[in-house]
Amino acid sequence: MSDVETGTITTKVPARLDRLPWSRWHWMIVIGLGTVWILDGLEVTIVGNLSAQLAKPGSGLDITQAQVAGVAAALYVAGACSGALFFGWLTDRYGRKKLFIITLVVYLVATLMTAFSFSAWWFFLFRFMTGFGIGGEYAAINSAIDELIPSRHRGRIDIIINGSYWLGAAGGALLTVPLLNDLPLNIGWRVAFGLGVVLGLAILLVRRHVPESPRWLFIHGRGRDAEQIVEGVEREIGTEKLREPEYEITVHQRKSIGFVRIAHTMVALYPKRTVLGLSLFIGQAFLYNAITFGYAQILSTFFQIDTYTGYYFAVIAVGNFLGPLLLGHLFDTIGRIPMISFCYIGSGVLLLGTAWLFNQGVLTAVTLTACWSAVLFVASAGASSAYLTVSEIFPMETRAMAIAFFFAIGTAAGGIAGPLVFSTLVESGVPGDTALAFAIGGVVMIAAGLVEVLLGVKAERRSLESIAAPLTTAER
């Protein structure tokens, strides 16, 4: 039964996790959990760059490019929102490890079924199911990573991991070029989805060795299991290298936390943080889902580029990954508020400039891609920080559900609307309409950045428990 106390425990597990030096154990976590974003980037980019080919006669599907970039994209995002809420609740209730295995399996099966699509409805169904698995991944993975990574590294690692999405995007973009040009029309796109399954299976093998979150364990009545995990890591590193834990925490253990209490925590205890999380997610979701799914359509509509869109998108993807890679450490040194607001507002201003240049007709496919690379270099670190923010600023018992909630609501508002608005405006073939789509994305990002200035939380280099005390702490 929810909210039934099973005992009280005083533990130094959080402080012991935060004092750990970076080690091979942490690299296992990064590879086993973080690499799933590469899969997501691969998945979304493949579909975006295949949109023109899927719409051609002989592809094996009776579907239009607007349906791929619009309807299928919106269904993928709708599935991700649904999966985030469903699996997020299960993650807080049954643990991180069980769910990050299950969600990856759901993704793998759905992707494989997409490769065997024979009609538009089948393609739409399994785009939804693929998103369903990916949405669950966001909740389970981000909560586990933040609870396992030391506080002094948490910002940069989280941002770089979320930014690794773009490594998959670059790979997916480049992968589509030979598949579209060297294989039969009805085979190339199926092989592209199949390769994503192969990569996912490799990740699954590594992920089996990632432990349950000790923070989740001791709150849910399994303090001895939490101690054993931490002791194992300390033995591997060598206790002589470790300083004394700086603090301890006393909690009332519970098997699970009721959904009503979770909702009350977010709305009543932390209303400003709830507004902040929604603003950051809506801003980045509108911009990213729109351009990710729709850039091939822009190249096809305005520059008559159909089969080589992958080269252009790969350049954008590289810019996206370099942003978190080069700026990530600043979120732990300069701080969360100045860096998040800079990334959101700065990318919005750059995007407004891109919209003006596009409307003037002075951009080519190459220069437009260069402009988007600059915009997304800055925006990417900001988008990654949205996930970091909502996983840090709410209590441990609600972490996965908080990530799921903000991802679902923010992405539903921005991620479903974005592709539909962009695809409709781009389809008209009028430069001014596409420039308007760019401008909308820029304004939304700037607005989110201003909210960060007003409501942002200073979370850099602080323990999760000091940012938001667990609901079950004895002090409460």
Side-chain angles (χ1 to χ4, degrees), residues 29-326:
I29 294 168
V30 169
I31 295 171
L33 300 183
T35 45
V36 73
W37 298 157
I38 297 176
L39 271 183
D40 190 16
L42 183 75
E43 180 76 29
V44 172
T45 309
I46 282 176
V47 176
N49 284 281
L50 292 176
S51 60
Q53 292 295 93
L54 285 169
K56 291 182 178 179
S59 70
L61 289 179
D62 183 14
I63 196 169
T64 67
Q65 185 173 11
Q67 284 179 316
V68 177
V71 178
L75 284 171
Y76 176 87
V77 174
C81 295
S82 304
L85 290 172
F86 178 70
F87 289 120
W89 175 71
L90 294 178
T91 298
D92 277 333
R93 188 177 182 87
Y94 296 109
R96 288 31 172 155
K97 185 177 178 66
K98 290 179 181 178
L99 271 297
F100 63 58
I101 295 293
I102 293 172
T103 52
L104 182 54
V105 171
V106 171
Y107 162 81
L108 291 173
V109 172
T111 301
L112 183 61
M113 290 298 99
T114 304
F116 290 100
S117 295
F118 56 87
S119 67
W121 72 264
W122 181 278
F123 184 79
F124 292 152
L125 171 63
F126 285 102
R127 290 307 295 157
F128 176 88
M129 291 306 301
T130 302
F132 194 72
I134 285 293
E137 286 278 293
Y138 281 115
I141 300 306
N142 273 298
S143 55
I145 288 172
D146 280 359
E147 290 166 11
L148 293 169
I149 298 297
S151 58
R152 63 189 177 280
H153 300 298
R154 189 175 62 241
R156 73 190 71 187
I157 295 301
D158 200 302
I159 286 173
I160 291 174
I161 284 176
N162 280 284
S164 69
Y165 170 101
W166 294 101
L167 284 179
L174 293 175
L175 186 65
T176 59
V177 175
L179 293 178
L180 293 180
N181 290 279
D182 299 335
L183 292 177
L185 182 61
N186 65 333
I187 298 296
W189 64 270
R190 299 181 191 276
V191 174
F193 285 111
L195 291 175
V197 176
V198 173
L199 178 58
L201 288 172
I203 294 173
L204 185 61
L205 293 175
V206 178
R207 187 172 288 187
R208 292 182 308 154
H209 302 289
V210 176
E212 179 58 86
S213 164
R215 283 178 157 103
W216 184 89
L217 286 170
F218 75 71
I219 282 180
H220 289 79
R222 296 171 59 185
R224 185 61 247 168
D225 292 339
E227 295 281 346
Q228 288 176 347
I229 291 173
V230 178
E231 287 169 3
V233 183
E234 290 174 339
R235 281 195 302 270
E236 179 181 326
I237 294 172
T239 54
E240 69 279 356
K241 300 178 182 179
L242 302 176
R243 64 179 186 276
E244 283 297 311
E246 296 179 356
Y247 62 93
E248 62 182 23
I249 184 172
T250 301
V251 299
H252 301 297
Q253 297 172 304
R254 286 169 168 78
K255 287 292 184 182
S256 61
I257 307 297
F259 184 80
V260 172
R261 192 173 187 196
I262 292 174
H264 176 268
T265 299
M266 296 170 63
V267 176
L269 294 183
Y270 297 105
K272 292 181 179 180
R273 295 185 182 189
T274 298
V275 172
L276 172 64
L278 285 174
S279 300
L280 295 180
F281 263 91
I282 290 174
Q284 64 87 25
F286 187 96
L287 175 68
Y288 270 95
N289 284 282
I291 193 61
T292 299
F293 287 112
Y295 198 65
Q297 186 185 10
I298 293 173
L299 294 174
S300 175
T301 301
F302 293 98
F303 304 107
Q304 292 71 55
I305 297 171
D306 291 332
T307 58
Y308 292 94
T309 56
Y311 288 136
Y312 295 90
F313 202 90
V315 173
I316 288 178
V318 169
N320 268 287
F321 179 65
L322 289 177
L325 184 66
L326 299 178

Side-chain angles (χ1 to χ4, degrees), residues 277-427:
L278 285 174
S279 300
L280 295 180
F281 263 91
I282 290 174
Q284 64 87 25
F286 187 96
L287 175 68
Y288 270 95
N289 284 282
I291 193 61
T292 299
F293 287 112
Y295 198 65
Q297 186 185 10
I298 293 173
L299 294 174
S300 175
T301 301
F302 293 98
F303 304 107
Q304 292 71 55
I305 297 171
D306 291 332
T307 58
Y308 292 94
T309 56
Y311 288 136
Y312 295 90
F313 202 90
V315 173
I316 288 178
V318 169
N320 268 287
F321 179 65
L322 289 177
L325 184 66
L326 299 178
L327 301 178
H329 71 284
L330 299 177
F331 288 78
D332 283 326
T333 53
I334 295 177
R336 304 287 199 263
I337 296 175
M339 285 306 300
I340 295 173
S341 56
F342 164 75
C343 289
Y344 271 81
I345 296 173
S347 61
V349 171
L350 289 173
L351 186 50
L352 290 178
T354 301
W356 182 82
L357 291 172
F358 188 85
N359 192 47
Q360 297 300 307
V362 299
L363 296 178
T364 65
V366 172
T367 54
L368 176 62
T369 301
C371 287
W372 268 106
S373 295
V375 170
L376 298 178
F377 174 87
V378 181
S380 183
S384 296
S385 70
Y387 293 92
L388 169 66
T389 297
V390 299
S391 65
E392 287 183 319
I393 63 177
F394 292 96
M396 214 275 333
E397 299 91 335
T398 70
R399 182 161 294 120
M401 196 62 208
I403 296 168
F405 172 80
F406 290 109
F407 174 81
I409 302 301
T411 304
I416 296 177
L420 293 175
V421 170
F422 267 57
S423 63
T424 300
L425 291 173
V426 172
E427 192 175 26

